[in-house]
Amino acid sequence: EVQLVESGGGLVQPGGSLRLSCAASGFTFSNYGMNWVRQAPGKGLERVSTINYNGGYTWYADSVKGRFTISRDNAKNTLYLQMNSLKTEDTAVYYCNTLVDGTNKEGQGTQVTVSS
């Protein structure tokens, strides 16, 4: 069974940093590209960042470019999102997801709240 478990969220002041993790199991993690997406209160799902299977390609939404860094450790089956210079508008539930056998798989999410 595919499982994605996000962690690392919390309350942080504007300008602060957090590192999110996504522990993957139940599939061959190193074969799959991965995404971080987020959903802010009252808004739709927004793709934040994407990384390919070996980390050789990354993509960022304009809203986070230069502040967030996606990475992965295939030996640990773990995806990361380093978030720096956080803004209040980054407040959201963050999810990791991927497409396995044509089905979107997503974790339960981790809450990030940026507030003074």
Side-chain angles (χ1 to χ4, degrees), residues 29-30 72-78:
F29 178 74
S30 58
R72 64 190 299 158
D73 185 337
N74 285 345
K76 295 183 178 180
N77 288 348
T78 303

Side-chain angles (χ1 to χ4, degrees), residues 12 15-20 36-38 46-50 58-71 80-92 94 112 114:
V12 63
S17 298
L18 283 174
R19 187 173 86 151
L20 307 184
W36 284 102
V37 300
R38 67 185 180 186
E46 175 191 17
R47 184 165 64 115
V48 172
S49 187
T50 294
T58 57
W59 174 91
Y60 298 94
D62 286 344
S63 56
V64 307
K65 203 171 292 182
R67 300 187 297 120
F68 290 11
T69 303
I70 191 171
S71 62
Y80 301 102
L81 186 68
Q82 177 67 42
M83 305 188 296
N84 299 328
S85 303
L86 282 161
K87 304 176 180 180
T88 55
E89 52 262 44
D90 294 319
T91 294
Y94 285 72
V112 171
V114 185

Side-chain angles (χ1 to χ4, degrees), residues 11 18 27 40 42 44 49 52 57 59 63 75 81 83-84 87 91-94 101 103 106 108 110-111:
L11 173 64
L18 283 174
F27 66 108
S49 187
N52 76 335
Y57 167 81
W59 174 91
S63 56
L81 186 68
M83 305 188 296
N84 299 328
K87 304 176 180 180
T91 294
V93 179
Y94 285 72
D101 296 332
T103 302
E106 198 165 87
Q108 83 291 344
T110 186
Q111 175 71 49

